[in-house]
Each structure stands twice: as C-alpha cells, then as structure tokens.
C-alpha cells in the first residue's frame, strides 16, 4: 500500500460568516477559503470535495428505568457538498510534492441559525463544520481536513433598531421609581454598551443601596416534529 505523511488544511477567508436580517428575508452569503495540500511525495488525486454541515443539539427529557433523565438529541440543520477539483474524467492527476492551494467559494442560505456555545452537555447548541476530502487513485488513502465554522446573525446596517432609543420605566411597589435609558435598541459586535439609570424614592423610607445590571441571552429552538 502506498504510504505518505501528506496532510491537508482548510483556511477560511474570514473567522466567521455574517448573515444580516431576519431568517425569512435574509439573503445568502459566501463562505470562501482554500483547501491547502502539503504533499510529501507525488500523489494521484482524483477529486477534491468540500462538505458543509450544520447540527443542533436539543435537550430532552427521556424516561429510563422509572425516572426522567435529561439528555440531548442532535439533528442535522443542513448538508451541502461542492466539488473543488475533479480529475476523474482523466482517471487522476499526479500532484508533485510540495504545497498546493485550491480556492473555494460556497453560497450559504440566509435562513441558517446562528452558532451557539453550549455551557453544559444538555443545553441547546448549534454548530457548523467544514470538511475537505481529497480522494486518491489506487491504494492511496484519502486525505481529510476539518474546520469549525462560526455563523453570526445581525440586523442590516440600515435597520431601525440601530437608530431607535429604548426606555424602560417602573415603580417598584410604589416605593421607588426607576428609569433605564438606552441610546439604541441594537448594538453591533465590538461596541461598548452604555446606558443611563435613574432612581427616585417615592417613599421617604425607601433607600437605593446598590444597582446591578445584567445581560441575559435567550435562545429558542425547534426540534424535529415541532
């Protein structure tokens, strides 16, 4: 059997893919980069394929041995495959030792959900992976490479959420009046979130001792079947 110490890697042009707007009206975007081959010796290559897959892990309660157990069920979100190079019509093509780079440009649908990071093994998560398979002729084993892909979603640059301010007012039990003001509803990645907080005692016995602000991210997912 033909043996080699050759390797492959996937180099993406951007560290993440950004989809703008809501899923129902967002346009497709490009995922581009290069499949890079480092060949130790001449190698008979037949095809170079790139595969993009997305999966979601949804927490579920299952009944086992008389008790409910918290588990996680995974299902595919998308599967797309592209041919980067095809030499099969000629049988194969020998690539000389050294480094070879093959560019790819893939179109991803605008409805894909954003990537999420699971804090535990039973919290919802969405992840994407790009794989490259370099198939070789004869007894030469295939060369493979994998790379994670991060998808983020944001409002379009002209969205009203970047221009509209937000104010929240409340009178806690009639003792304290509070008002939180934000200059705009949406914030772009990398921005510093600033706000204005005002509190007034409505009762002479009421005293504001401390103020704590927190940001909470919520994630809603549908599992297969609803």
């Amino acid at each position: 059997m033909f043996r080699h110490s050759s390797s492959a890697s996937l180099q993406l042009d951007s560290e993440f893919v950004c989809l703008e707007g809501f899923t129902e009206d967002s346009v497709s975007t490009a995922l581009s980069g290069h499949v890079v081959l480092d060949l130790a010796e001449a190698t008979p290559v037949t095809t170079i394929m790139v595969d993009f897959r997305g999966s979601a892990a949804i927490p579920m309660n299952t009944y086992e041995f008389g008790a409910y157990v918290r588990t996680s069920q995974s299902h595919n979100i998308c599967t797309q495959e592209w041919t980067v190079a095809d030499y099969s019509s000629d049988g194969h093509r020998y690539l000389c030792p050294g480094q070879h780079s093959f560019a790819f440009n893939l179109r991803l649908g605008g409805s894909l959900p954003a990537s999420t990071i699971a804090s535990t093994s039973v919290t919802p998560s969405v992840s994407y992976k790009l794989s490259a398979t370099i198939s070789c002729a004869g007894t030469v084993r295939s060369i493979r490479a994998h790379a994670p892909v991060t998808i983020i979603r944001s409002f379009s640059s002209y969205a009203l959420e970047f221009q509209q301010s937000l104010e929240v007012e409340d009178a806690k039990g009639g003792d304290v009046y509070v008002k939180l003001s934000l200059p705009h509803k949406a914030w772009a990645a990398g921005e510093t979130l600033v706000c204005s907080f005002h509190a007034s005692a409505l009762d002479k016995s009421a005293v504001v001792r401390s103020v704590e602000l927190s940001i909470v991210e919520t994630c809603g997912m549908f599992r297969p079947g609803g």
Side-chain angles (χ1 to χ4, degrees):
M1 180 177 178
F2 183 87
R3 298 182 181 276
H4 56 67
S5 57
S6 301
S7 63
S9 63
L10 283 162
Q11 298 180 0
L12 302 180
D13 291 339
S14 176
E15 61 179 321
F16 57 80
V17 176
C18 182
L19 296 172
E20 294 188 348
F22 295 101
T23 55
E24 60 269 18
D25 55 20
S26 181
V27 298
S28 62
T29 191
L31 172 63
S32 59
H34 292 79
V35 179
V36 179
L37 294 179
D38 284 302
L39 301 180
E41 50 195 316
T43 306
V45 174
T46 56
T47 58
I48 300 176
M49 306 291 294
V50 172
D51 180 81
F52 177 77
R53 294 178 184 270
S55 62
I58 311 295
M60 297 181 64
N61 289 323
T62 58
Y63 192 75
E64 297 179 4
F65 305 106
Y68 282 100
V69 180
R70 190 74 163 170
T71 61
S72 181
Q73 182 186 56
S74 297
H75 69 276
N76 289 333
I77 297 174
C78 65
T79 301
Q80 295 176 263
E81 189 176 67
W82 293 266
T83 301
V84 177
D86 188 353
Y87 307 123
S88 59
S89 60
D90 299 324
H92 58 265
R93 175 177 294 183
Y94 269 97
L95 298 182
C96 62
Q99 189 175 90
H100 303 263
S101 181
F102 299 85
F104 62 84
N105 190 302
L106 320 176
R107 299 302 301 182
L108 301 182
S111 62
L112 294 175
S115 302
T116 63
I117 300 175
S119 56
T120 68
S121 60
V122 291
T123 52
S125 66
V126 174
S127 60
Y128 299 92
K129 183 175 71 173
L130 190 67
S131 301
T133 301
I134 298 88
S135 299
C136 304
T139 59
V140 183
R141 65 180 182 272
S142 297
I143 307 172
R144 292 181 172 83
H146 307 280
V149 177
T150 301
I151 292 181
I152 63 173
R153 300 199 67 93
S154 72
F155 293 110
S156 60
S157 56
Y158 51 83
L160 293 177
E161 284 79 1
F162 286 120
Q163 306 170 31
Q164 296 173 330
S165 60
L166 177 65
E167 291 188 350
V168 180
E169 301 178 78
D170 194 10
K172 295 293 184 181
D175 297 327
V176 179
Y177 166 78
V178 294
K179 179 180 179 180
L180 181 68
S181 301
L182 297 170
H184 41 88
K185 292 181 178 180
W187 301 78
E191 280 191 294
T192 300
L193 195 153
V194 296
C195 65
S196 173
F197 180 80
H198 174 76
S200 299
L202 302 177
D203 188 288
K204 292 183 179 180
S205 62
V207 178
V208 178
R209 298 189 183 277
S210 63
V211 177
E212 291 185 4
L213 297 178
S214 61
I215 298 176
V216 179
E217 180 183 26
T218 60
C219 177
M221 292 187 183
F222 293 96
R223 60 173 174 259

